[in-house]
Amino acid sequence: MGIVAGLDSSPDFTRIVVCDSDTGAVLRQGYAPHPLESPEGGGRPADVDPQAWLLSLGEAAGGGLLEGVQAIGVSAQANSVVPLDAQGNTVRPALVGGDKRSQVAAADLIDALGGREAWAQAVGSVPQTGQPVTKLRWLARSEPEAAARTAVLLQAHDWLVWQLLGRPVRRTTDRGGASGTGYWSAATGGYRPDLVELALGHQAILPEVIGPADAAGTTPEGLLISAGTGETQAAAFGLGIGLGDAVVSLGASGSVMAVHTEPLVDQSGMITALADATGMHLPVVTTLNAVRALRGTAELLGMPDLESLSELAMKSTPGAHGLVLLPYLEGERTPNLPHTAGTLAGLRRESMRPEHLARAAFEGMLCGLADALDVLRGRGVDVRRVFLLGAAAELPAVQAAAPALFGTQVVVPQPADYAAIGSARQAAWALGVSQGTLDPRTPPVWQGAVAQVLEPGAELAVGQAVRQQYVSVREQTHPGAL
């Protein structure tokens, strides 16, 4: 079929991979950071001029990287809103990331619709600080003039696709991106314009939701642009996960997602009912505490890095001599305990050693993520293997404990630009459908991620005993929280 490209515009940079459309083999790669100004105090800006994304895109594609490419797929950071006026100009910088400014707005919206269950039934998720719907409420309350001028709402990947196509009248998105907005329902496959009005104060034009294998359009040069999708959905597609697979992502916070045949409505707000990039569903459960619990423990023990903490933990044994860490250092979302703190239980004279605390930190983090996996399993999601992502997935202490604590095979893929690869795979699908060589219901089969496969084996019974020890402490400390 030819050559395709996948472009991932993350919060910090643009990555581009150029792939063989038949096999998925990566032929060329490009990278460029976004030219962003850090706010005072560091961190990521909550407001970004979208032109920064275009500038880094142009830089990443330099040197003839896209020569011979026939189709491009685009993924970009989730939880972004690009408000446009009636002429298509940005009203203000894009609102991006898990924006803490909109915490009050999230609570306002939950009350305005009649509670968490009403939101879960409406769109499959309860408003959170990062979601576009919540950002719209913040905009209406904090910058009413900008809100009044907002006529069109796009997300980051929608805006980039629209720009690549030369800003046509038609604006598009995909199910995956739309499902994270808080005003589109994966269950019905339709927008809830009333929720846009509830948040923004008036109606706005929303992009057309097109199918997973549809093309958003063709550039004047004849380059096909696929539907695009959110970064999470693109990474799942790039990994090639399917039914029976879950992905556990180890960042400062953690997330667990799995492919499922139907949307899951969850009034507790623990499950966010996303759609995926293939026509299926991608329920996600988030924990606020993952690697941050390891970093905190490393600092407490005077360890210079997580590798040293892992080495120390390996000197202990499963169960950490009875030490149990509930790693709720920032409060917690799964279980829903926003104002709680962490708990260290099981202190005895013989357990008060650095290596046992190190082991308890790793086990506590993984047991917290196992709780999130169980939320999905409890709703009928089949989990036969777990893909473990993030730099911490390479740590020996994580790999030693994860299969037995999760109770399943664990796959640790080699680090790669999976969101960009997923975007390229989507481009190959749209190209194949346009040429009549691929079925719109069946994506191209690409070579799987190169990965290390870990089995629970003989450690399964021990791991489940450690897990039960954790659950007992959680139930004693926070009865009925899950």
Side-chain angles (χ1 to χ4, degrees):
M1 273 165 51
I3 302 175
V4 294
L7 181 163
D8 176 46
S9 183
S10 85
D12 300 313
F13 53 77
T14 298
R15 283 199 193 279
I16 301 175
V17 296
V18 176
C19 299
D20 180 292
S21 57
D22 292 319
T23 65
V26 176
L27 309 174
R28 303 189 288 271
Q29 300 182 61
Y31 166 88
H34 296 321
L36 302 179
E37 290 184 18
S38 291
E40 285 184 32
R44 287 180 181 144
D47 294 336
V48 172
D49 182 349
Q51 293 297 326
W53 306 331
L54 278 184
L55 288 169
S56 71
L57 190 166
E59 191 178 333
L65 185 78
L66 299 179
E67 199 171 313
V69 165
Q70 295 164 275
I72 293 180
V74 176
S75 65
Q77 57 185 303
N79 293 334
S80 55
V81 178
V82 186
L84 304 178
D85 64 19
Q87 287 71 48
N89 301 311
T90 49
V91 167
R92 68 174 316 283
L95 294 148
V96 298
D99 194 340
K100 290 188 175 178
R101 294 178 300 187
S102 50
Q103 282 175 331
V104 173
D108 283 352
L109 282 175
I110 292 168
D111 290 343
L113 195 65
R116 303 171 75 85
E117 186 170 359
W119 277 97
Q121 294 293 340
V123 288
S125 64
V126 178
Q128 300 140 25
T129 54
Q131 277 189 303
V133 71
T134 310
K135 289 181 164 78
L136 296 183
R137 169 57 73 107
W138 176 87
L139 188 64
R141 293 285 186 269
S142 304
E143 300 178 7
E145 289 182 13
R149 287 172 49 220
T150 298
V152 181
L153 296 172
L154 298 180
Q155 293 193 84
H157 82 267
D158 310 334
W159 187 84
L160 285 165
V161 165
W162 184 58
Q163 294 289 331
L164 288 172
L165 290 171
R167 297 164 58 106
V169 173
R170 182 191 188 215
R171 301 176 186 89
T172 61
T173 191
D174 85 308
R175 295 169 65 257
S179 66
T181 59
Y183 43 82
W184 184 88
S185 166
T188 65
Y191 282 116
R192 286 287 302 265
D194 58 315
L195 299 182
V196 174
E197 186 166 355
L198 181 69
L200 187 62
H202 61 87
Q203 294 286 345
I205 296 169
L206 304 170
E208 177 189 342
V209 181
I210 61 176
D214 292 345
T218 306
T219 67
E221 299 77 31
L223 194 62
L224 184 139
I225 309 292
S226 64
T229 194
E231 205 165 30
T232 299
Q233 290 85 351
F237 197 41
L239 280 167
I241 67 168
L243 290 171
D245 293 334
V247 176
V248 173
S249 184
L250 301 176
S253 54
S255 69
V256 175
M257 61 182 176
V259 179
H260 197 47
T261 52
E262 58 191 33
L264 297 179
V265 172
D266 176 61
Q267 67 190 58
S268 74
M270 285 192 289
I271 298 175
T272 300
L274 297 181
D276 79 347
T278 72
M280 300 280 274
H281 296 272
L282 199 66
V284 178
V285 179
T286 303
T287 68
L288 295 181
N289 300 278
V291 175
R292 64 164 43 97
L294 301 183
R295 294 206 183 283
T297 307
E299 287 173 18
L300 181 67
L301 294 173
M303 295 282 111
D305 50 40
L306 296 186
E307 288 73 19
S308 304
L309 186 72
S310 171
E311 194 177 323
L312 182 64
M314 293 298 282
K315 294 176 181 174
S316 180
T317 52
H321 275 244
L323 273 192
V324 175
L325 176 67
L326 301 184
Y328 305 154
L329 307 184
E330 299 275 326
E332 191 44 84
R333 187 172 153 196
T334 306
N336 186 25
L337 299 165
H339 306 299
T340 195
T343 301
L344 185 62
L347 279 171
R348 297 180 185 276
R349 179 64 191 89
E350 62 270 20
S351 66
M352 294 177 73
R353 296 185 58 81
E355 62 267 28
H356 302 324
L357 178 56
R359 179 88 190 195
F362 281 96
E363 291 177 348
M365 175 187 76
L366 292 169
C367 285
L369 290 159
D371 278 351
L373 267 173
D374 282 352
V375 169
L376 293 178
R377 284 175 166 141
R379 295 297 304 279
V381 177
D382 183 25
V383 178
R384 292 192 298 274
R385 62 176 178 169
V386 169
F387 285 74
L388 202 55
L389 300 185
E394 303 289 330
L395 296 172
V398 169
Q399 295 191 4
L405 292 177
F406 292 160
T408 189
Q409 183 187 83
V410 170
V411 180
V412 184
Q414 280 189 359
D417 302 321
Y418 290 110
I421 290 167
S423 300
R425 189 178 175 208
Q426 188 194 63
W429 194 6
L431 180 65
V433 169
S434 76
Q435 295 174 338
T437 56
L438 286 178
D439 188 317
R441 294 163 299 183
T442 311
V445 177
W446 278 12
Q447 57 200 22
V450 178
Q452 191 177 358
V453 178
L454 310 168
E455 300 284 356
E459 296 295 312
L460 182 59
V462 174
Q464 292 307 289
V466 173
R467 180 81 206 290
Q468 191 51 53
Q469 178 179 269
Y470 177 93
V471 169
S472 296
V473 171
R474 190 196 70 223
E475 276 300 301
Q476 287 167 11
T477 313
H478 306 286
L482 271 180

